[in-house]
Amino acid sequence: MSQVLSPGTSAPDFTLHVTPDQCLSLSEFRGRPVILAFYPADWSPVCGDQMVLYNQVRPEFLNHGAEVLGVSVDGAWCHQAFAKARNLHFPLLADFEPKGGVSKSYGAYREGDGVSERALFVIDKNGVIFWSYRSPLAVNPGADGILNALERLPS
């Protein structure tokens, strides 16, 4: 079982596809908090519930100036269909090629299964991990830990 990156660690920058023809980099969010939500697969029941929850709580994230980014090893086309079906309004990033490369850099890759772990990171405005948590794969970690971390972030 992998160990996710700890608070105080500089968040590794990355660039991933957000749509089939557009990419997004973590560094584009420098100056504001970012929530990275790694999850195993778009269409699994737990992942679907987790991402829908973050979509519902997203206004509270935005009240803290934070944006949520979902990350899994699914491709951009899969993310696009999933986001449309679930009416999601935040970016889902395709850690597709090299498979799980970003997940591995955060210690959030599940070797053997070939999917991202269910792991959460709150990254501060300076690009440093403020809070991290790895949930059991079958458990939706909810949003309380994220909101608690956002409330404790220095302004």
Side-chain angles (χ1 to χ4, degrees), residues 7 20 24 34 42 47 75 79 94 103 108 114 118 130-131 140 147 153:
L24 188 147
V34 174
D42 282 341
C47 297
H79 281 329
S103 300
R118 193 175 309 284
F130 181 78
W131 177 81
N140 181 344
L147 290 169
L153 268 176

Side-chain angles (χ1 to χ4, degrees), residues 95-130:
D95 193 9
F96 185 74
E97 180 61 35
K99 185 178 181 182
V102 173
S103 300
K104 290 174 186 172
S105 73
Y106 280 79
Y109 188 73
R110 196 169 181 89
E111 295 288 346
D113 292 330
V115 296
S116 300
E117 293 277 4
R118 193 175 309 284
L120 302 171
F121 297 86
V122 172
I123 300 169
D124 71 15
K125 64 183 181 182
N126 298 314
V128 176
I129 296 170
F130 181 78

